[in-house]
Amino acid sequence: MSELGDATRRAQAQNDPNLLLEAIPYARLLGMQAQSVSLFHLPPSKSNIGNPTLPALHGGAVGGFMEMAAIAHTMMIMDVLRVPKVIGFSISYIRPGRFMDTYARCEVERFGRKMVNVSIQAWQEDEKIHIAKASVQFLLD
Amino acid sequence: MAVDLEEFRQLARVLDMPGRGDHFETLGIRVTDVQRGSVTLQIDYQESLVGNPVSGVIHGGVITTLLDTCCGFSASTLLETLAVTPTIDLRIDYLRPAEPHKPVIAVGEVYHVTRHVLFTRAVAHQGDPSRPVAQAVGNFAQLEPGVFGEFGDNVRQAARSGEGES
């Protein structure tokens, strides 16, 4: 089994997605962490800033964080050991991501044996005040 | 009147300056061409961008950021003044995995402009535009003049100080 497969199995056994996130370079680059299998945290980091004048997080960094959260969430709850194929990603931005703690919560809906849809909501100070909403369509191998 | 393209190219040079530590530098996004309504970007392969350590394929989030930036910069070339415009929404179709160890090129274009919205699309490929890695459509807001008033000044200042250092 691959190193990623091992990390995923340990993450699933201990119910801790952080063990999986540590095995993925891009997740480490963003600096994201998991608080539960469906709640993820992106601490403020200068390397995720897109507009220094506000300052605001890069919309792509927020999107990448949400996409990675959806991948980790799916791998944790679907009992898969391989990174699922992303077919499509769609994101709406509601307000700028300020330079502060950002959170994302994922919800999965599955249809058929291979297709998985995850919706992700991101917020900062108040879970009811979203900064972005996204959805990812996955194909499981 | 629309933004001076030379000024926009200056912004691109500011973004390319090392030591900024922002998300552009972290991912290694470079602006390779600026035309009115169309900007081309490139990102080189780095291990830190990998989303699947088994295959070595870079993460979809990297492609998302590249295409978001490409669409947004293309939209910026049609604004009145030098500014960045916020993304309203963005949809990406991933057509094939990006081949590891090869750069990804993104070409954006604005295909429709209204009083409030700039409609854009972009293609990401690895040298052959007929074999795209991903395609995006994104909508961007026409800002009220003055919303990012200080942005242009900051860019000009950063460009001047950067030139002074070299």
Side-chain angles (χ1 to χ4, degrees), chain A residues 2-5 23-27 29-30 46-54 58-65 67-68 71 82-83 85-94, chain B residues 15 19-24 26-27 29 46-54 59-62 64-66 68-69 84 87-95 97 148 150-151 154:
Chain A
S2 67
E3 250 171 71
L4 177 72
I24 298 185
Y26 179 71
L29 185 75
L30 291 176
K46 196 181 170 217
S47 60
N48 291 331
I49 285 182
N51 183 339
T53 40
L54 295 175
H58 195 298
V62 174
F65 163 58
E67 200 169 324
M68 184 61 238
I71 290 171
R82 281 192 282 183
V83 178
K85 263 199 194 98
V86 183
I87 302 168
F89 177 70
S90 170
I91 182 164
S92 296
Y93 294 96
I94 298 149
Chain B
L15 289 177
R20 296 171 50 80
D22 59 13
H23 204 53
F24 299 98
T26 304
L27 297 194
I29 294 177
Q46 289 182 56
E47 301 291 341
S48 61
L49 306 181
V50 166
N52 185 338
V54 178
H59 199 281
V62 177
T64 298
T65 303
L66 180 70
D68 177 49
T69 308
V84 283
T87 316
I88 302 169
D89 53 32
L90 181 76
R91 186 203 145 81
I92 297 173
D93 291 330
Y94 293 99
L95 306 174
F148 279 101
E150 80 279 41
F151 182 82
N154 288 354

Side-chain angles (χ1 to χ4, degrees), chain B residues 14-148:
Chain B
V14 170
L15 289 177
D16 277 352
M17 285 177 194
R20 296 171 50 80
D22 59 13
H23 204 53
F24 299 98
E25 185 180 357
T26 304
L27 297 194
I29 294 177
R30 288 181 291 127
V31 180
T32 56
D33 188 41
V34 175
Q35 301 299 328
R36 182 80 60 203
S38 174
V39 168
T40 304
L41 306 178
Q42 184 169 325
I43 201 164
D44 290 330
Y45 186 81
Q46 289 182 56
E47 301 291 341
S48 61
L49 306 181
V50 166
N52 185 338
V54 178
S55 62
V57 171
I58 61 172
H59 199 281
V62 177
I63 304 284
T64 298
T65 303
L66 180 70
L67 289 172
D68 177 49
T69 308
C70 187
C71 288
F73 280 7
S74 297
S76 285
T77 63
L78 291 174
L79 298 176
E80 292 288 305
T81 55
L82 187 63
V84 283
T85 162
T87 316
I88 302 169
D89 53 32
L90 181 76
R91 186 203 145 81
I92 297 173
D93 291 330
Y94 293 99
L95 306 174
R96 52 172 64 80
E99 257 180 72
H101 308 291
K102 283 171 80 172
V104 181
I105 298 152
V107 186
E109 64 164 335
V110 179
Y111 68 90
H112 188 62
V113 180
T114 67
R115 201 149 69 90
H116 297 292
V117 183
L118 298 127
F119 297 83
T120 70
R121 55 189 166 219
V123 176
H125 66 84
Q126 294 189 289
D128 179 357
S130 71
R131 288 179 55 80
V133 168
Q135 273 183 206
V137 285
N139 302 336
F140 292 79
Q142 288 267 26
L143 296 167
E144 301 285 324
V147 170
F148 279 101

